[in-house]
Amino acid sequence: MRDLTGGTAPGSSASGPSGAEPSYGYAGGRTPGTVGELGEFGLIRELTSRLTSTPAVRIGPGDDAAVVAAPDRRVVASTDILVEGRHFRRDWSTAYDVGRKAAAQNLADVAAMGAVPTALLLGLVVPAELPANWPTELMDGIRDEAQVAAAAVVGGDVARGDSITVSITALGDLRNREPVTRAGARPGDVVAVTGWLGWSAAGHAVLSRGFRSPRAFVEAHRRPEPPYHAGPAAAGLGATAMTDVSDGLVADLGHIAESSKVRIDIRSAALDIPAQMSDIGTAVGVDPLQWVLTGGEDHAIVATFPSDQKLPARWRVIGEVRSPSALPQVTVDGAPWDKAGGWDHFGDPSDG
């Protein structure tokens, strides 16, 4: 988008799926006509007009590239792509929802490295016949989610295509801490999580059956609420390894176990399964433990810590790191988890 600028007011991280409408500025105003009628530069003007800035943004829109302050002299960077029909459906989610989700999954990656998010860049491919208010409402969602993490939208590009593709790149600042990677877990460490597990998968199950309630679970699928503050806080607490839960708890802990060359055992009794999630599971014939263990897109933060580290109440200890063995790298209650689950971008499209 030839350099967009970003959001100013730092928002506070949400504590979990709320199901509430956003309280920071989304008015849902319509931009008349289609993207084709607006044209490239008209669309860019519409999108940039919706944005604000943060102190980290030194140069915003109108030049060849943005300039974002990097006090640490290192930049944490992550990127993700959302494809219509694969990662979102317009009959399930509004453009605003898609924007919130696209921003959240990238900001969570930055936080999971122990960094503070600073900026987002957007790559957007849309059909010419798309109503012009769709990309503008998408940008409202991206902007508002960036504000939750005190970050800013600083640039990007738009192009014409046959379907909608949203690509977000997120940047972050380590603030003089070392990054927390997936490779530092050690036998004897505890495994702890903060955030919500299985809510998005339960919401997906509800939507797949044509329903729109319970709303909290549907909204968790449409607009995940990662605990952005928890990543940098975990780094300060001495986390030895960390990731966000995007592909499912078993799958993402598997990434830590593989990188750290350890085995991780999850205690199922320590996992939180709300009564309403159990009710949904009963209604659709699914064990809700499967959603908690293998459902992705909640973007909770899971980390390993030394066993003697006192953790704040927001962290729930759910397992421990063990020495590698002949068992799979991640076990549940000491045994292999043999049920399907976990996200694979090249798996069955009907899963997503």
Side-chain angles (χ1 to χ4, degrees), residues 8-339:
T8 45
S12 59
S13 292
S15 59
S18 62
E21 291 301 316
S23 58
Y24 17 143
Y26 175 56
R30 294 185 63 84
T31 301
T34 66
V35 169
E37 290 167 347
L38 268 181
E40 177 184 2
F41 295 103
L43 177 59
I44 290 170
R45 283 193 297 272
E46 287 288 340
L47 297 179
T48 56
S49 71
R50 314 179 90 81
L51 300 175
T52 51
S53 188
T54 69
V57 179
R58 302 300 170 81
I59 298 177
D63 221 308
D64 292 313
V67 176
V68 181
D72 183 78
R73 302 177 66 86
R74 296 170 296 177
V75 176
V76 176
S78 178
T79 191
D80 269 307
I81 297 171
L82 278 75
V83 179
E84 182 182 7
R86 178 64 176 171
H87 303 103
F88 66 90
R89 288 173 45 168
R90 279 191 274 165
D91 59 331
W92 284 5
S93 300
T94 67
Y96 184 82
D97 293 334
V98 176
R100 294 289 297 268
K101 184 173 187 175
Q105 65 185 40
N106 284 272
L107 294 164
D109 283 337
V110 169
M113 295 295 291
V116 175
T118 57
L120 296 177
L121 296 105
L122 168 66
L124 179 63
V125 178
V126 293
E129 64 274 13
L130 184 72
N133 65 292
W134 200 95
T136 57
E137 291 176 13
L138 173 85
M139 180 58 83
D140 288 340
I142 295 170
R143 175 203 63 212
D144 286 353
E145 191 64 33
Q147 288 181 344
V148 174
V153 183
V154 298
D157 194 17
V158 296
R160 175 175 176 170
D162 295 333
S163 61
I164 300 172
T165 300
V166 182
S167 177
I168 299 280
T169 296
L171 308 178
D173 181 46
L174 287 164
R175 295 192 176 178
N176 298 316
R177 289 184 295 262
E178 289 304 306
V180 183
T181 70
R182 298 171 175 176
R186 299 166 298 193
D189 285 352
V190 298
V191 180
V193 67
T194 185
W196 303 79
L197 296 172
W199 287 65
S200 178
H204 182 275
V206 169
L207 287 164
S208 296
R209 287 156 178 81
F211 297 103
R212 295 294 184 268
S213 64
R215 180 171 173 172
F217 293 89
V218 170
E219 290 302 300
H221 179 72
R222 289 171 171 162
R223 304 180 192 174
E225 298 182 8
Y228 300 121
H229 65 282
L237 290 168
T240 54
M242 182 160 54
T243 189
D244 74 307
V245 183
S246 56
D247 298 328
L249 182 64
V250 170
D252 287 309
L253 283 177
H255 300 323
I256 289 179
E258 181 178 5
S259 296
S260 299
K261 297 179 173 56
V262 295
R263 179 165 69 91
I264 292 175
D265 187 56
I266 301 168
R267 297 196 302 271
S268 62
L271 298 170
D272 181 32
I273 301 178
Q276 202 167 28
M277 185 185 292
S278 296
D279 292 342
I280 297 171
T282 299
V284 302
V286 175
D287 180 354
L289 180 62
Q290 176 145 348
W291 291 329
V292 172
L293 289 173
T294 66
E297 295 193 328
D298 287 297
H299 301 287
I301 301 290
V302 64
T304 59
F305 296 90
S307 59
D308 59 354
Q309 174 63 52
K310 182 175 176 57
L311 299 176
R314 70 172 65 96
W315 289 92
R316 177 188 293 266
V317 175
I318 61 167
E320 65 178 12
V321 180
R322 297 181 178 177
S323 298
S325 70
L327 290 169
Q329 289 176 312
V330 178
T331 55
V332 179
D333 299 326
W337 178 257
D338 56 2
K339 298 181 181 178

